[in-house]
Amino acid sequence: MDILTLFCTASLLFGGLYWFVCVLGSAEQKGKHAVHLSGGSISHEKVQDNYNQYWSFFRSPKEIETAEKVPAFVDTFYNLVTDIYEWGWGQSFHFSPSIPGKSHRDATRIHEEMAVDLLNIKPGARILDAGCGVGGPMRAIAAHSGANVVGITINEYQVNRARTHNKKAGLDSQCEVVCGNFIQMPFADCSFDGAYSIEATCHAPKLEEVYAEIYRVLKPGSMYVSYEWVTTELYNADDPEDVEVIQGIERGDALPGLRSYKDIAEVARKVGFEVVKEKDLAKPPAQPWWTRLKMGRIAYWRNHILVTVLAWLGIAPKGVVDVHEMLFVTADYLTRGGDTGIFTPMHMILCRKPEKKSSAAD
């Protein structure tokens, strides 16, 4: 009888684990399986050390603001979180407004397609994805527009993941991925017909550096659209609760410092762009973008149990549990930022590079 009880208990345990990993999968059931969670380019045994190193950046905040420190900071972050993002969120590492009657996946795709529609490019055009991640937006945009998309990301692991996904999607001839820093891109002047960045330039220590570089590689007359993470007009820097929320978002998302919505157009004009349109896409009548974070709480606890078990078994590296918990805490700060309206991840700015650069006298 005792043996039978033991057998049934073991069967339930391993059956449940199999269900979690192989059947139920992640919160979104795409991109990555739990048993393949890793630390990106970081070796299995060094994930915990690199997680600790990531947090050490915040003990010296002035170092984060210097351009030479930020690439390592952001690269470490994406080594730590890329697999978890893919497993629990999908291949597009950004938010989108909820759309009644549409799935999160469809809402994400529509948000991405809108970006390229604003560029007004033709099939076969060469466009830049500045901060492409594992290429979710790139693939949606290439399929929708017929454009040839060149993405750049600072993280080598993401480059490899993006190339793998591009090939599986049959879009590797349309989508190219380069490893590099978007404030020093390895592209010729005036070599792109358009450019976009989706919730990516927030990682730049100085926005003018990445905007100036995008301006450089665009052909005259071409358009650039960006979805920016910013504090809104409702943010009060003298309110401790507001400050806590914004600092929580910065710590959990590898941000040198969130910018105010008022800074974006000013920086764009400073580097030479004409500002065509500026709008917070999160404002009504748009549905809340943070709904998905609230709905994901049950999935988080389910996934956290699984990650803990896999780490205990040695399948997932030590440190992954801490990373997963960090992202949950950050999700709470993001939700609070959305609920209070002090933060938006989709302040859209549409810019044009003039046909002829204006003189200083102009």
Side-chain angles (χ1 to χ4, degrees):
M1 190 70 174
D2 289 341
I3 295 176
L4 179 61
T5 302
L6 181 64
F7 175 77
C8 291
T9 301
S11 297
L12 285 171
L13 176 63
F14 287 103
L17 185 61
Y18 175 82
W19 174 263
F20 268 136
V21 177
C22 299
V23 180
L24 196 56
S26 70
E28 292 296 321
Q29 297 189 39
K30 57 181 180 290
K32 197 83 175 179
H33 289 291
V35 291
H36 297 137
L37 292 178
S38 72
S41 299
I42 302 169
S43 62
H44 199 86
E45 66 276 6
K46 291 184 178 180
V47 171
Q48 184 70 63
D49 289 343
N50 275 261
Y51 172 78
N52 295 336
Q53 178 191 359
Y54 173 77
W55 280 103
S56 74
F57 282 103
F58 291 102
R59 288 193 285 272
S60 304
K62 290 184 179 179
E63 291 186 3
I64 300 174
E65 297 171 4
T66 60
E68 64 270 17
K69 296 286 184 180
V70 171
F73 171 62
V74 175
D75 187 41
T76 296
F77 175 76
Y78 278 111
N79 274 323
L80 293 170
V81 305
T82 290
D83 278 357
I84 293 178
Y85 275 2
E86 275 203 64
W87 174 55
W89 194 260
Q91 295 172 22
S92 294
F93 298 173
H94 65 81
F95 297 105
S96 59
S98 298
I99 301 176
K102 297 287 186 180
S103 67
H104 293 308
R105 184 182 295 188
D106 285 342
T108 297
R109 176 182 50 77
I110 291 168
H111 196 54
E112 293 163 349
E113 291 174 353
M114 185 181 72
V116 73
D117 287 344
L118 289 168
L119 298 181
N120 194 30
I121 53 93
K122 297 178 181 178
R126 185 174 188 250
I127 61 175
L128 172 69
D129 182 334
C132 65
V134 298
M138 170 191 296
R139 288 181 288 280
I141 283 170
H144 174 69
S145 67
N148 296 311
V149 186
V150 180
I152 186 167
T153 172
I154 201 166
N155 185 262
E156 185 177 0
Y157 182 70
Q158 289 189 338
V159 170
N160 294 329
R161 292 294 298 163
R163 288 173 177 167
T164 298
H165 289 313
N166 291 346
K167 189 172 183 179
K168 285 182 179 179
L171 292 167
D172 48 323
S173 62
Q174 256 182 279
C175 298
E176 178 186 349
V177 190
V178 175
C179 189
N181 190 335
F182 58 20
I183 64 174
Q184 293 177 315
M185 293 189 284
F187 307 126
D189 294 356
C190 306
S191 55
F192 287 94
D193 301 302
Y196 66 89
S197 49
I198 298 180
E199 302 183 27
T201 58
C202 50
H203 293 299
K206 295 180 180 178
L207 188 62
E208 53 264 38
E209 292 181 337
V210 62
Y211 274 20
E213 199 49 1
I214 291 169
Y215 183 95
R216 178 184 67 81
V217 302
L218 278 178
K219 295 176 182 178
S222 298
M223 307 287 278
Y224 166 58
V225 63
S226 183
Y227 297 165
E228 295 287 346
W229 282 34
V230 296
T231 57
T232 72
E233 72 281 1
L234 298 179
Y235 173 66
N236 181 1
D238 295 321
D239 185 329
E241 290 189 12
D242 283 10
V243 172
E244 179 193 355
V245 169
I246 296 305
Q247 289 183 347
I249 292 171
E250 291 169 348
R251 286 194 301 269
D253 286 294
L255 306 181
L258 273 169
R259 301 173 181 94
S260 168
Y261 75 101
K262 294 182 291 187
D263 299 334
I264 308 305
E266 181 182 345
V267 170
R269 293 189 180 100
K270 182 179 178 181
V271 304
F273 280 120
E274 299 170 350
V275 176
V276 178
K277 187 176 182 181
E278 191 176 16
K279 180 182 180 181
D280 182 357
L281 300 178
K283 287 188 179 295
Q287 299 295 307
W289 55 266
W290 61 94
T291 301
R292 186 178 177 189
L293 293 173
K294 288 184 174 180
M295 292 173 60
R297 287 178 181 272
I298 294 175
Y300 163 78
W301 286 112
R302 180 196 71 201
N303 291 351
H304 197 65
I305 292 170
L306 177 55
V307 169
T308 302
V309 171
L310 292 175
W312 180 72
L313 292 173
I315 298 172
K318 291 180 180 179
V320 166
V321 176
D322 289 334
V323 174
H324 194 259
E325 184 175 358
M326 175 189 76
L327 295 179
F328 177 68
V329 171
T330 306
D332 184 62
Y333 283 121
L334 287 163
T335 300
R336 288 167 61 185
D339 275 333
T340 58
I342 65 172
F343 164 77
T344 176
M346 52 192 71
H347 182 90
M348 185 275 291
I349 184 166
L350 178 64
C351 306
R352 179 188 293 111
K353 182 175 180 177
E355 290 286 353
K356 183 178 180 182
K357 187 175 180 181
S358 299
S359 65
D362 296 336

